[in-house]
Short mmCIF file of all heavy atoms in Angstrom, two decimals:
data_model
loop_
_atom_site.label_atom_id
_atom_site.label_comp_id
_atom_site.label_asym_id
_atom_site.label_seq_id
_atom_site.Cartn_x
_atom_site.Cartn_y
_atom_site.Cartn_z
N GLY R 1 0.82 -1.19 0.00
CA GLY R 1 0.00 0.00 0.00
C GLY R 1 0.86 1.25 0.00
O GLY R 1 2.07 1.20 -0.21
N VAL R 2 0.24 2.38 0.27
CA VAL R 2 0.97 3.65 0.19
C VAL R 2 2.09 3.74 1.21
O VAL R 2 3.05 4.49 1.01
CB VAL R 2 0.02 4.85 0.33
CG1 VAL R 2 -1.00 4.86 -0.80
CG2 VAL R 2 -0.69 4.83 1.69
N GLY R 3 1.99 3.00 2.30
CA GLY R 3 3.04 3.04 3.30
C GLY R 3 4.27 2.22 2.96
O GLY R 3 5.32 2.39 3.58
N GLY R 4 4.16 1.36 1.98
CA GLY R 4 5.26 0.48 1.63
C GLY R 4 5.70 0.56 0.18
O GLY R 4 6.30 -0.39 -0.33
N SER R 5 5.42 1.64 -0.47
CA SER R 5 5.83 1.83 -1.85
C SER R 5 6.12 3.29 -2.11
O SER R 5 5.64 4.17 -1.39
CB SER R 5 4.74 1.33 -2.81
OG SER R 5 3.58 2.13 -2.69
N SER R 6 6.91 3.54 -3.14
CA SER R 6 7.11 4.91 -3.60
C SER R 6 5.94 5.29 -4.51
O SER R 6 5.49 4.49 -5.32
CB SER R 6 8.43 5.04 -4.35
OG SER R 6 9.52 4.80 -3.50
N MET R 7 5.46 6.50 -4.35
CA MET R 7 4.38 6.99 -5.17
C MET R 7 4.68 8.41 -5.61
O MET R 7 5.56 9.07 -5.06
CB MET R 7 3.05 6.93 -4.41
CG MET R 7 2.61 5.52 -4.05
SD MET R 7 0.92 5.44 -3.41
CE MET R 7 -0.02 5.83 -4.91
N ALA R 8 3.93 8.86 -6.61
CA ALA R 8 4.21 10.17 -7.19
C ALA R 8 2.95 10.77 -7.78
O ALA R 8 1.94 10.10 -7.98
CB ALA R 8 5.29 10.05 -8.27
N TRP R 9 3.05 12.06 -8.04
CA TRP R 9 2.05 12.79 -8.80
C TRP R 9 2.71 13.33 -10.07
O TRP R 9 3.80 13.90 -10.01
CB TRP R 9 1.46 13.95 -8.00
CG TRP R 9 0.62 13.53 -6.84
CD1 TRP R 9 1.01 13.37 -5.55
CD2 TRP R 9 -0.78 13.23 -6.88
NE1 TRP R 9 -0.05 12.98 -4.77
CE2 TRP R 9 -1.17 12.88 -5.56
CE3 TRP R 9 -1.74 13.21 -7.89
CZ2 TRP R 9 -2.47 12.53 -5.22
CZ3 TRP R 9 -3.04 12.86 -7.57
CH2 TRP R 9 -3.40 12.52 -6.25
N PHE R 10 2.03 13.14 -11.18
CA PHE R 10 2.42 13.71 -12.45
C PHE R 10 1.30 14.61 -12.95
O PHE R 10 0.16 14.52 -12.48
CB PHE R 10 2.69 12.61 -13.49
CG PHE R 10 3.99 11.88 -13.30
CD1 PHE R 10 4.14 10.95 -12.29
CD2 PHE R 10 5.06 12.12 -14.15
CE1 PHE R 10 5.34 10.27 -12.12
CE2 PHE R 10 6.26 11.44 -14.00
CZ PHE R 10 6.40 10.52 -12.98
N ARG R 11 1.61 15.45 -13.94
CA ARG R 11 0.57 16.26 -14.55
C ARG R 11 0.86 16.46 -16.02
O ARG R 11 2.01 16.36 -16.46
CB ARG R 11 0.43 17.62 -13.85
CG ARG R 11 1.58 18.59 -14.10
CD ARG R 11 1.40 19.83 -13.26
NE ARG R 11 2.35 20.87 -13.61
CZ ARG R 11 2.50 22.01 -12.93
NH1 ARG R 11 1.74 22.25 -11.86
NH2 ARG R 11 3.39 22.90 -13.33
N GLN R 12 -0.19 16.74 -16.77
CA GLN R 12 -0.07 16.97 -18.20
C GLN R 12 -1.04 18.06 -18.61
O GLN R 12 -2.26 17.90 -18.49
CB GLN R 12 -0.33 15.70 -18.99
CG GLN R 12 -0.06 15.83 -20.48
CD GLN R 12 -0.07 14.49 -21.19
OE1 GLN R 12 -0.58 13.51 -20.67
NE2 GLN R 12 0.51 14.45 -22.37
N ALA R 13 -0.51 19.17 -19.10
CA ALA R 13 -1.33 20.27 -19.59
C ALA R 13 -1.73 19.98 -21.03
O ALA R 13 -1.06 19.22 -21.74
CB ALA R 13 -0.56 21.58 -19.50
N PRO R 14 -2.83 20.60 -21.49
CA PRO R 14 -3.23 20.41 -22.88
C PRO R 14 -2.10 20.76 -23.84
O PRO R 14 -1.54 21.85 -23.76
CB PRO R 14 -4.42 21.36 -23.04
CG PRO R 14 -4.97 21.48 -21.65
CD PRO R 14 -3.77 21.46 -20.76
N GLY R 15 -1.77 19.84 -24.72
CA GLY R 15 -0.70 20.06 -25.67
C GLY R 15 0.69 19.94 -25.10
O GLY R 15 1.67 20.14 -25.84
N GLY R 16 0.80 19.64 -23.83
CA GLY R 16 2.10 19.54 -23.19
C GLY R 16 2.51 18.11 -22.91
O GLY R 16 1.79 17.17 -23.20
N GLU R 17 3.70 17.98 -22.36
CA GLU R 17 4.22 16.67 -21.99
C GLU R 17 3.90 16.35 -20.54
O GLU R 17 3.74 17.25 -19.71
CB GLU R 17 5.74 16.63 -22.20
CG GLU R 17 6.17 16.87 -23.63
CD GLU R 17 7.68 16.84 -23.79
OE1 GLU R 17 8.39 16.80 -22.76
OE2 GLU R 17 8.15 16.85 -24.94
N ARG R 18 3.81 15.07 -20.24
CA ARG R 18 3.59 14.67 -18.86
C ARG R 18 4.86 14.92 -18.07
O ARG R 18 5.96 14.54 -18.49
CB ARG R 18 3.19 13.20 -18.79
CG ARG R 18 2.78 12.75 -17.40
CD ARG R 18 2.10 11.38 -17.42
NE ARG R 18 0.85 11.43 -18.17
CZ ARG R 18 -0.01 10.42 -18.24
NH1 ARG R 18 0.23 9.29 -17.59
NH2 ARG R 18 -1.12 10.55 -18.95
N GLU R 19 4.72 15.56 -16.93
CA GLU R 19 5.87 15.92 -16.13
C GLU R 19 5.66 15.53 -14.67
O GLU R 19 4.56 15.58 -14.14
CB GLU R 19 6.14 17.43 -16.23
CG GLU R 19 4.98 18.30 -15.81
CD GLU R 19 5.22 19.77 -16.08
OE1 GLU R 19 6.30 20.13 -16.56
OE2 GLU R 19 4.30 20.58 -15.80
N GLY R 20 6.75 15.14 -14.04
CA GLY R 20 6.70 14.78 -12.64
C GLY R 20 6.50 15.99 -11.76
O GLY R 20 7.12 17.04 -11.98
N VAL R 21 5.66 15.86 -10.76
CA VAL R 21 5.34 16.94 -9.84
C VAL R 21 5.95 16.70 -8.47
O VAL R 21 6.62 17.57 -7.91
CB VAL R 21 3.82 17.12 -9.72
CG1 VAL R 21 3.48 18.16 -8.65
CG2 VAL R 21 3.22 17.51 -11.06
N ALA R 22 5.72 15.53 -7.90
CA ALA R 22 6.19 15.23 -6.56
C ALA R 22 6.28 13.73 -6.37
O ALA R 22 5.55 12.97 -7.00
CB ALA R 22 5.26 15.83 -5.51
N ARG R 23 7.16 13.32 -5.48
CA ARG R 23 7.37 11.90 -5.18
C ARG R 23 7.54 11.73 -3.68
O ARG R 23 8.13 12.58 -3.02
CB ARG R 23 8.61 11.37 -5.90
CG ARG R 23 9.02 9.95 -5.51
CD ARG R 23 10.37 9.59 -6.12
NE ARG R 23 10.88 8.30 -5.65
CZ ARG R 23 10.76 7.15 -6.30
NH1 ARG R 23 10.14 7.11 -7.48
NH2 ARG R 23 11.27 6.03 -5.79
N ILE R 24 7.05 10.62 -3.16
CA ILE R 24 7.35 10.24 -1.79
C ILE R 24 7.99 8.87 -1.83
O ILE R 24 7.43 7.91 -2.38
CB ILE R 24 6.09 10.29 -0.89
CG1 ILE R 24 6.48 9.99 0.56
CG2 ILE R 24 4.99 9.37 -1.38
CD1 ILE R 24 5.40 10.38 1.55
N ASN R 25 9.21 8.77 -1.28
CA ASN R 25 9.93 7.51 -1.24
C ASN R 25 9.37 6.62 -0.14
O ASN R 25 8.59 7.05 0.71
CB ASN R 25 11.42 7.76 -1.01
CG ASN R 25 12.14 8.27 -2.23
OD1 ASN R 25 12.16 7.62 -3.27
ND2 ASN R 25 12.76 9.45 -2.10
N ILE R 26 9.82 5.36 -0.15
CA ILE R 26 9.38 4.40 0.86
C ILE R 26 9.72 4.89 2.27
O ILE R 26 8.94 4.68 3.21
CB ILE R 26 9.99 3.03 0.60
CG1 ILE R 26 9.41 2.43 -0.69
CG2 ILE R 26 9.76 2.08 1.77
CD1 ILE R 26 10.06 1.13 -1.11
N ASP R 27 10.87 5.56 2.42
CA ASP R 27 11.28 6.03 3.73
C ASP R 27 10.59 7.32 4.15
O ASP R 27 10.88 7.87 5.21
CB ASP R 27 12.79 6.20 3.80
CG ASP R 27 13.33 7.29 2.90
OD1 ASP R 27 12.55 7.90 2.15
OD2 ASP R 27 14.55 7.54 2.94
N GLY R 28 9.69 7.83 3.32
CA GLY R 28 8.93 9.02 3.64
C GLY R 28 9.52 10.32 3.16
O GLY R 28 8.88 11.38 3.28
N THR R 29 10.74 10.30 2.63
CA THR R 29 11.31 11.52 2.09
C THR R 29 10.56 11.94 0.85
O THR R 29 10.04 11.11 0.10
CB THR R 29 12.80 11.34 1.76
OG1 THR R 29 12.96 10.25 0.85
CG2 THR R 29 13.59 11.05 3.03
N THR R 30 10.49 13.23 0.62
CA THR R 30 9.71 13.78 -0.48
C THR R 30 10.60 14.55 -1.44
O THR R 30 11.59 15.18 -1.04
CB THR R 30 8.59 14.69 0.03
OG1 THR R 30 9.15 15.72 0.85
CG2 THR R 30 7.60 13.88 0.87
N LYS R 31 10.21 14.51 -2.71
CA LYS R 31 10.95 15.18 -3.78
C LYS R 31 9.97 15.96 -4.63
O LYS R 31 8.87 15.47 -4.93
CB LYS R 31 11.72 14.16 -4.63
CG LYS R 31 12.59 13.20 -3.83
CD LYS R 31 13.67 13.93 -3.06
CE LYS R 31 14.44 12.98 -2.15
NZ LYS R 31 15.48 13.71 -1.37
N TYR R 32 10.37 17.15 -5.04
CA TYR R 32 9.47 18.03 -5.78
C TYR R 32 10.13 18.59 -7.02
O TYR R 32 11.34 18.87 -7.04
CB TYR R 32 9.03 19.20 -4.91
CG TYR R 32 8.24 18.79 -3.70
CD1 TYR R 32 8.86 18.60 -2.47
CD2 TYR R 32 6.86 18.59 -3.78
CE1 TYR R 32 8.13 18.21 -1.36
CE2 TYR R 32 6.13 18.21 -2.67
CZ TYR R 32 6.77 18.02 -1.47
OH TYR R 32 6.04 17.64 -0.36
N ALA R 33 9.33 18.77 -8.05
CA ALA R 33 9.77 19.55 -9.19
C ALA R 33 9.94 21.00 -8.75
O ALA R 33 9.21 21.49 -7.88
CB ALA R 33 8.75 19.47 -10.33
N GLU R 34 10.90 21.68 -9.34
CA GLU R 34 11.20 23.04 -8.92
C GLU R 34 10.00 23.97 -9.08
O GLU R 34 9.82 24.89 -8.28
CB GLU R 34 12.40 23.58 -9.70
CG GLU R 34 12.94 24.89 -9.16
CD GLU R 34 13.45 24.76 -7.74
OE1 GLU R 34 13.98 23.70 -7.38
OE2 GLU R 34 13.30 25.74 -6.97
N PHE R 35 9.17 23.72 -10.07
CA PHE R 35 8.08 24.64 -10.34
C PHE R 35 6.94 24.55 -9.32
O PHE R 35 6.02 25.38 -9.36
CB PHE R 35 7.54 24.45 -11.77
CG PHE R 35 7.17 23.04 -12.14
CD1 PHE R 35 5.96 22.51 -11.77
CD2 PHE R 35 8.04 22.26 -12.89
CE1 PHE R 35 5.61 21.21 -12.12
CE2 PHE R 35 7.71 20.97 -13.25
CZ PHE R 35 6.49 20.44 -12.85
#
């Protein structure tokens, strides 16, 4: 489940490419796109 896996949010604007927004690692650390 969410407590035992890495998960992320992506987004895609109309006409744009899918881009990573944020990630949470298994250890709970978080990573974000600069924007």
Side-chain angles (χ1 to χ4, degrees):
V2 298
S5 65
S6 295
M7 296 190 69
W9 292 94
F10 285 75
R11 72 186 189 187
Q12 186 169 18
E17 299 179 351
R18 187 167 297 187
E19 58 187 358
V21 174
R23 172 188 173 97
I24 184 164
N25 285 301
I26 292 174
D27 66 357
T29 57
T30 56
K31 308 298 174 181
Y32 297 94
E34 191 62 34
F35 53 81

